[in-house]
Amino acid sequence: MALRFILSTVLMLSLPAFSLTINNDFKVAKHVEYSYLIGDLSFSDVERNTHHWQQAKPGNISLGTSETPVWLKVPIENNTNRMQTLYLVVDFPRLDEVSLYHREDNRLKVETIGDSYPLSVREIKDSDLLFKVNIAANKSQFIYIKAASSGLLKLPVTIWNPSKYVQHKNKATIIDGLILGALITLIAILLALFALTKKRQFLTASIYSFLLWLMLATTLGYVYRYISDDVRWLSQMLIPMLLLSLSIIMTPLSTRFQKRNKSSTIITRILLVVCSLILLLLPLFSFANALIIAFSIGIANIFWHALVTSYSIYHRKRHCKLLLLAQLSIFCSFAFNLLALMGVQVPALKTGHSFIITFIISAFSFSYILIEQYVLLRDSKVSRQQKQLAEANMQQEVQNEAIKIHEQYQEELENKIQERTFELEVTLRELQEKNHELEEMNTQDALTSLRNRRYFDKKITMEFRRSRREQTPLALVMLDIDHFKRINDTYGHLSGDDVIKHVAMTIKHALKRPSDVACRYGGEEFALILPNTDDDGALSVAEHIRSEIEKTTINSASIDIKITISAGIFSSIADQSSDPNYYTDLADKALYHAKNSGRNKVCSANKLITEEES
C-alpha cells in the first residue's frame, strides 16, 4: 500500500499543471492542451519520458506534409468518485494512421485507426478518428497518441462526454446534410435550366457545383465511409484531382464575364493547358506532393482570374464584383490549406469547415451570376422582340393597304383575263372540233365511210404491240372483189362505186365487236383487223361476209349485178422476231391463193403454211 501511494504521488507530481481535469459536470474540452514529440519511436521509449517534449498550442498542431510520425501526450485527471468514459477525437479524418496508447487496470490498451484502414476495424463506426477511453475514479494518467500521414499532418484533439458527443455529432450530421442537400438542389436547378434553355453555361456550372459537392463529401469523411476498401488509393488521390478540376472548370465560368485582351487570353489558355496536363500526371506523384502541386497550380490559376476580374471591375464590366467574391473565396480556401501543408500554423479552423464556407459562397455566386445574366439576356431579347413585333405590325398595316389596292387591280385584271380566257376556250373548243373532224376525214374513206389505208397502218401497229404485250392472238383478213375490172368496164364506174359501197356495208354489218375494225385498203380491196381472234374465228367472219355477198344482188342504174369476193386470213400471237407487215404479207398470199384457185373462196395462211411443211 505504501509503495502504491508513493507511485501515485510521484505520478501526480509529474503531471503538468495544464492537465485536463474531469469533473461530474464535464461536457467537452475543445481546446485540449498536450505536448508532442516528432520521431519514429517505440511506445516504451516514449513512456519513459527520455525525450524533450514540446508544448502545443491548445487543441491543434499542424506539421505540414511531414512523413515522420508524431507522438502526442495528453494528461487527464479524473476528480470524480466513479470511472469516466470519454471520447477522444482527433478531429481531422484524413490521417492515414492514428494509434492510441493508454493503460486500463494496469494493462496497456492499443487501438489503431485511420483512413488507410477500413471502417469495419473501428470500435465506433464514425468517420471522425474517435477513441473510447476509460479513466478510473480519482486517477490521473497520460494518454499517448501516435499519428502518421502521407498528406497533411494536422492534429486537432477534443475530448467529449459520450452523450454530448452524440448530440454534437447528430447536429453536425444534420448541418452537413443540409449543406450537401443545398448543393444537390442547386445542381438539380442548374441541370433543369440546361435542359430547358440548352445553354452550356448551366451545364458547366452544374459540373462545377458537383465537384464542390464531391470535394466537401470527401473532406467531411463521407466518401471514406462509403467507398470500397479496394479503391483506397482513389479516395486519397480524389482530393488533389478535384482541386485541379475545380480550377479548370472555373476558367470557362470566369472568362464568360471578364474583359480580356489578346495577352490575357493567351495566358489564360496556357494556364488551362498546364492545369489539364498536371491533372493527367497527378496519379504519378505521392499523395503529399500531389496535394501541394494541386493547391499551388490551382492558386496560381485562380489568382490570375482574380486579377483579370479586378481589371474588368475597373472597366465596369457587369457581374464582375460578385465573380471576384466567388474567386477570392476559393482562393482563400486553397491558400489556407496550402499554408497548412507547408507547416505554417494557421487558425484552428477545420479543413471541412473552411471548404464549406468558401464552396457555398463560390457555388451560389456563380449560379446567381449565370441565372441573372440569362434573365437579363432573355428580358433584352423579349424587349427586342416586342420592338420588332411593333415594327412588324406597322409594316403589316402598310402592307395590308398595299395588298387591298393590289387586290382591286388584280380583281379587275382577273375579270378581263376570265373574259379573254372564256373567248379563247370557246375558240379552242371549236378548233378542237374542227381538228377532230379533219382527223376523222383524214382517216375515213369518203366513198365507203370505212377507215382508210392511213388509219389501217396505225391500227395494225397498235394491235400488233398489244398482241405481243398481252400474248393474245391477232387476226388480219384481206378481202377483194372478184372480176371488179370487168364490172367497171361492163357497167361503168358509177356501178363499180355502188358495188364497193355494198361490199363495205355488208362488212360493217358482219362485225359485231367494237374492237373489230374494217378498212378500205385500196380500190376494191378491204382489210379487217380482228384483235383477240384465232384462225377459226377469222375464218368464220370472212366466210359469213363471203356468203352474204354471194347471195345478194346489187341494183345499180336499174341493172342487177351479182358479185363474189375472195378472202385471205392470217392469225397469230405477235412475237419479237416479226412486225405488222408480216401479217399483211401472209394475208395477201392467202388472198392470192384464193383467187388463183377459182375465186369466191376464203383461204387461211396458217393452213397453207401447215400444208407446205407437211
Side-chain angles (χ1 to χ4, degrees), residues 314-330:
Y314 177 77
H315 286 84
R316 301 184 183 278
K317 284 284 288 183
R318 192 179 183 91
H319 303 300
C320 283
K321 290 183 179 179
L322 194 57
L323 176 63
L324 183 62
L325 175 63
Q327 293 166 343
L328 289 180
S329 62
I330 295 293

Side-chain angles (χ1 to χ4, degrees), residues 155-169:
L155 299 168
V157 178
T158 57
I159 296 179
W160 291 83
N161 177 290
S163 61
K164 296 299 180 182
Y165 178 79
V166 171
Q167 294 176 10
H168 162 76
K169 190 64 178 180

Side-chain angles (χ1 to χ4, degrees), residues 130-141:
L130 177 64
F131 298 94
K132 182 180 179 181
V133 180
N134 294 319
I135 307 297
N138 296 311
K139 292 291 184 180
S140 299
Q141 71 174 78

Side-chain angles (χ1 to χ4, degrees), residues 417-429:
I417 291 174
Q418 288 176 358
E419 293 175 0
R420 297 292 185 270
T421 303
F422 179 73
E423 294 175 358
L424 289 173
E425 287 177 352
V426 172
T427 306
L428 182 61
R429 192 177 297 112

Side-chain angles (χ1 to χ4, degrees), residues 190 193 197 199-209 252-254 256-257 319 322-323 362-378:
L190 292 171
L193 288 172
T197 64
K199 300 293 184 181
R200 287 183 298 176
Q201 63 264 29
F202 290 121
L203 178 62
T204 306
S206 65
I207 296 173
Y208 180 77
S209 300
L253 291 175
S254 299
R256 185 177 184 82
F257 305 98
H319 303 300
L322 194 57
L323 176 63
S362 179
F364 281 89
S365 296
F366 274 121
S367 301
Y368 176 81
I369 293 171
L370 290 174
I371 293 173
E372 184 185 19
Q373 184 201 37
Y374 174 74
V375 171
L376 291 174
L377 290 175
R378 187 195 61 183

Side-chain angles (χ1 to χ4, degrees), residues 337-375:
N337 286 279
L338 179 62
L339 290 174
L341 283 170
M342 298 175 67
V344 178
Q345 297 297 323
V346 294
L349 184 63
K350 288 178 61 176
T351 304
H353 291 165
S354 66
F355 280 139
I356 287 173
I357 296 170
T358 57
F359 284 5
I360 289 293
I361 293 173
S362 179
F364 281 89
S365 296
F366 274 121
S367 301
Y368 176 81
I369 293 171
L370 290 174
I371 293 173
E372 184 185 19
Q373 184 201 37
Y374 174 74
V375 171

